[in-house]
């Protein structure tokens, strides 16, 4: 157990809908990262937050957004869902000054039908 | 810094050593990683190596880095059936204006250990 928690574990929804994925980092970690794992694209970095501020952005679609709250948990919002958004979404966290050590949560499996 | 290549499959017998290989293209890689993913589980950080090192050993795991050839390997000694999983190679790059946080992953190597 990495100490990073993600909810829900599974999510099934229809095209066009909007969902919110939640992540709680390890105690003391200030950075949160979101990754998408799909059969087509493999594991891809989406976005990073550090202490509430966006720090780096990767291949994140405009339909997707994220934020990190004052209690350091983070949410990834996915809207206007398409079949191709079906994937495993992972959250990771790292401690201050130790960005090179990222610990991953168990992931949320999103299925869009 | 986006091309990390791994072979897709490796099969070994229990008790043998496994060697999983990875190549990367960005010479400014700062850290290189091995993550393990078991079915239905998240990614477990196994080990990582800083790019100014050649080797790192941690119990049954040995990481070798050949910077000239941009080649990283993970050797698992005395492989057990519980080692069966997907192993991902990843790199992070410290570039101007960016952080170390973004990881670039390979597609993963499925290791199957036969009893």
């Amino acid at each position: 157990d990495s100490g990073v928690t993600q909810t829900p574990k599974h999510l099934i929804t229809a095209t066009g809908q909007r969902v919110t994925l939640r992540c709680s980092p390890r105690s003391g970690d200030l950075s949160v990262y979101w990754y998408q794992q799909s059969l087509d694209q493999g594991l891809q970095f989406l976005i990073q937050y550090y202490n509430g501020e966006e720090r780096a952005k990767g291949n994140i679609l405009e339909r997707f957004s994220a934020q990190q709250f004052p209690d350091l948990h983070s949410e990834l919002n996915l809207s206007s869902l398409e079949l191709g958004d079906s994937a495993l979404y992972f959250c990771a966290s790292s401690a201050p000054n130790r960005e090179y050590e990222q610990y991953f949560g168990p992931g949320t499996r999103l299925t869009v039908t | 810094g986006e091309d990390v290549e791994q072979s897709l499959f490796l099969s070994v017998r229990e008790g043998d050593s496994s060697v999983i290989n990875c190549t990367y293209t960005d010479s400014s890689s700062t850290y290189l990683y091995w993550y393990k993913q078991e079915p239905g589980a998240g990614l477990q950080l196994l080990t990582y190596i800083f790019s100014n090192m050649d080797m790192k050993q941690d119990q049954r795991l040995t990481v070798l880095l050949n910077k000239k050839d941009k080649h990283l390997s993970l050797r698992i000694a005395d492989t057990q059936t519980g080692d069966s999983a997907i192993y991902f190679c990843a790199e992070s790059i410290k570039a101007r204006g960016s952080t170390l946080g973004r990881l670039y992953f390979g597609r993963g190597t499925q290791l199957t250990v036969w009893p």
Side-chain angles (χ1 to χ4, degrees):
Chain A
D1 183 355
S2 67
V4 179
T5 61
Q6 290 187 247
T7 56
K9 198 169 170 62
H10 301 279
L11 200 47
I12 302 174
T13 189
T15 54
Q17 295 298 304
R18 174 190 167 92
V19 297
T20 297
L21 313 183
R22 184 189 167 103
C23 166
S24 292
R26 297 183 316 159
S27 176
D29 286 0
L30 298 184
S31 279
V32 168
Y33 312 80
W34 286 97
Y35 290 84
Q36 179 195 58
Q37 185 179 33
S38 66
L39 285 173
D40 290 346
Q41 303 290 329
L43 264 161
Q44 290 212 307
F45 169 77
L46 295 177
I47 197 162
Q48 176 195 359
Y49 279 83
Y50 179 84
N51 203 21
E53 303 271 330
E54 183 185 302
R55 179 160 282 195
K57 211 167 191 174
N59 303 323
I60 188 165
L61 299 172
E62 283 192 16
R63 300 184 285 109
F64 296 0
S65 64
Q67 52 185 324
Q68 186 180 26
F69 294 86
D71 67 353
L72 302 175
H73 91 271
S74 178
E75 292 179 358
L76 179 67
N77 301 295
L78 316 176
S79 61
S80 303
L81 284 167
E82 301 174 0
L83 295 177
D85 297 328
S86 295
L88 256 175
Y89 290 85
F90 287 110
C91 167
S93 72
S94 64
N97 299 319
R98 294 184 75 86
E99 286 178 316
Y100 51 87
E101 272 187 25
Q102 288 186 34
Y103 293 90
F104 281 72
T108 293
R109 182 171 292 282
L110 173 67
T111 303
V112 182
T113 61
Chain B
E2 299 180 31
D3 290 329
V4 180
E5 301 283 341
Q6 302 177 241
S7 52
L8 293 181
F9 302 100
L10 177 65
S11 292
V12 300
R13 286 224 171 266
E14 193 173 24
D16 287 351
S17 291
S18 310
V19 179
I20 304 171
N21 294 300
C22 167
T23 57
Y24 58 96
T25 55
D26 200 307
S27 58
S28 55
S29 292
T30 307
Y31 284 90
L32 293 132
Y33 303 81
W34 287 103
Y35 279 87
K36 176 183 180 182
Q37 185 177 31
E38 295 180 88
L43 292 158
Q44 177 193 351
L45 177 59
L46 281 180
T47 186
Y48 59 89
I49 188 167
F50 188 51
S51 57
N52 68 354
M53 296 169 64
D54 297 322
M55 186 182 93
K56 181 177 180 182
Q57 188 148 4
D58 184 1
Q59 299 181 343
R60 291 191 298 126
L61 305 179
T62 303
V63 178
L64 293 177
L65 175 60
N66 180 329
K67 287 183 285 295
K68 176 174 165 290
D69 295 337
K70 299 190 183 69
H71 182 266
L72 181 75
S73 67
L74 173 69
R75 179 176 179 270
I76 306 173
D78 187 25
T79 315
Q80 302 297 306
T81 53
D83 294 323
S84 293
I86 301 176
Y87 290 80
F88 289 92
C89 172
E91 63 175 346
S92 70
I93 301 155
K94 178 68 173 162
R96 181 185 296 185
S98 79
T99 70
L100 283 171
R102 179 175 186 162
L103 296 181
Y104 296 88
F105 284 90
R107 298 286 268 182
T109 299
Q110 171 72 62
L111 174 64
T112 303
V113 183
W114 301 97

